[in-house]
Amino acid sequence: MFQSQTAQRLRAEGRVEGRAANILLLLDHRGVELSDEERERVMGCSDFDTLDLWFRRAVTASSADGVFNSQEG
């Protein structure tokens, strides 16, 4: 099925935005606090692979550092 470049780009942007929102939701649910700057870092990230890594870390991380910087979990 053919999709225009615009449609493909919009779909990719939607995936990125959804993944970022899911990270914040997961961390909020788990009680992991993020600063405003850290929230902006998540929402401003446009790389799905990075967001996917952060999401996987967010499942077990006990701090923002565990999401962004470590191999925790």
Side-chain angles (χ1 to χ4, degrees):
M1 176 166 110
F2 175 79
Q3 290 186 344
S4 71
Q5 288 183 349
T6 300
Q8 291 174 6
R9 181 182 50 79
L10 290 173
R11 183 170 178 240
E13 288 174 7
R15 287 183 60 208
V16 165
E17 290 172 7
R19 180 59 88 188
N22 286 338
I23 291 168
L24 297 180
L25 181 64
L26 176 60
L27 291 171
D28 285 344
H29 179 74
R30 296 193 59 246
V32 177
E33 294 187 24
L34 297 179
S35 68
D36 289 342
E37 292 81 16
E38 290 163 337
R39 288 181 178 279
E40 288 175 18
R41 182 177 179 186
V42 172
M43 291 309 295
C45 181
S46 61
D47 182 69
F48 188 83
D49 291 337
T50 297
L51 289 167
D52 195 49
L53 173 64
W54 291 347
F55 181 83
R56 287 184 276 119
R57 289 179 178 174
V59 171
T60 58
S62 58
S63 68
D65 188 57
V67 174
F68 297 120
N69 301 317
S70 77
Q71 298 299 320
E72 185 177 327

